[in-house]
Amino acid sequence: MINLGVLISGRGSNLQAIIDSAEAGQIPAKVAVVISNRSDAFGLERAKKHNIPAVVFEPEKFKDKNTYELEIVKTLKQRKVELVCLAGYMRIVGGVLLEHYQGRMINIHPALLPAFPGLHVQKAALDHGVKVSGATVHFVDAGCDTGPIIVQAAVPVFESDTEETLSARILEQEHKIYPLAIKLFAEGKIKIQGRRVVIK
Ligand code: GRF
């Protein structure tokens, strides 16, 4: 059983999927703490409902990014977090978090990376005219959505799709592959070999 720290900025539907899988005993992990950079993130309510400690650190209130991230690291260490899960955390991770958690920090992205990194990716996928898109869970490195890929799931893109319908189809997959990636990590089945993630 490993302790997870989940970092959020908003809705928290991926957080919910992780909590539900943990509570159902489907993954050998438990959410030890939820950290949000916004006090109005709905994910905070979800944490409270499940009696999970939740804290807010607003970056604007800190001297600089390093001081802000040190506070996060302190909390993660206090809660004995072994895997950090970014779940709709809308900030670029800096040197302090990477220094402490690189290789133990993962993210979910609503596209088939390396296609469409960054923001507004479902719109970018539609505008580009792709016929397939999907979701990716990957390790976090210093780049934006560039780290080694752990799991991906593909969905079809239809001509009738809007940003909303495509996002919903992708989100359904996110809620499956995020717990799956956590399970693989918690079971010690993941090995990073350069850019590649090998699943034992
Ligand atoms: C998801 O689409 C995730 O892939 C992206 O941000 C969104 C967060 O949604 N990084 P939620 O807060 O988990 O509902």
Side-chain angles (χ1 to χ4, degrees):
M1 180 75 78
I2 65 164
N3 281 336
L4 308 175
V6 184
L7 269 56
I8 60 164
S9 299
R11 181 176 61 181
S13 71
N14 279 289
L15 165 67
Q16 189 70 55
I18 296 167
I19 295 172
D20 292 346
S21 314
E23 287 188 351
Q26 288 157 356
I27 56 175
K30 93 170 219 254
V31 181
V33 66
V34 171
I35 301 175
S36 173
N37 65 316
R38 297 180 55 128
S39 57
D40 61 353
F42 182 67
L44 292 166
E45 308 296 322
R46 300 181 190 266
K48 269 178 220 146
K49 207 169 148 196
H50 292 264
N51 292 316
I52 296 165
V55 289
V56 177
F57 295 129
E58 292 169 303
E60 319 69 73
K61 298 199 173 146
F62 292 83
K63 190 176 74 183
D64 53 28
K65 187 162 184 148
N66 285 354
T67 325
Y68 161 69
E69 288 199 342
L70 269 175
E71 205 58 35
I72 296 180
V73 167
K74 211 169 101 188
T75 302
L76 294 171
K77 295 214 183 284
Q78 272 164 3
R79 299 284 171 185
K80 302 197 171 12
V81 165
E82 295 155 274
L83 178 67
V84 180
C85 302
L86 310 187
Y89 177 64
M90 302 297 284
R91 294 189 63 87
I92 303 273
V93 162
V96 170
L97 264 168
L98 282 171
E99 182 195 318
H100 288 87
Y101 288 99
Q102 188 154 15
R104 296 188 297 140
M105 178 160 51
I106 62 179
N107 179 46
I108 180 118
H109 184 76
L112 291 176
L113 291 170
F116 311 116
L119 295 175
H120 311 296
V121 299
Q122 295 92 342
K123 180 173 185 309
L126 284 175
D127 289 350
H128 197 91
V130 295
K131 304 293 187 196
V132 176
S133 191
T136 304
V137 182
H138 63 93
F139 281 102
V140 177
D141 67 8
C144 177
D145 303 319
T146 51
I149 292 168
I150 306 167
V151 192
Q152 292 187 304
V155 305
V157 178
F158 302 121
E159 280 168 18
S160 56
D161 267 330
T162 61
E163 204 180 331
E164 287 69 33
T165 57
L166 178 58
S167 299
R169 194 173 307 121
I170 292 173
L171 195 63
E172 209 182 307
Q173 295 304 315
E174 292 184 40
H175 296 163
K176 291 183 185 153
I177 65 170
Y178 214 170
L180 170 62
I182 293 168
K183 182 171 188 274
L184 293 170
F185 184 95
E187 290 173 348
K189 293 194 173 147
I190 288 179
K191 214 167 127 201
I192 307 177
Q193 290 180 346
R195 267 222 58 84
R196 286 193 181 180
V197 170
V198 179
I199 316 255
K200 282 186 251 168

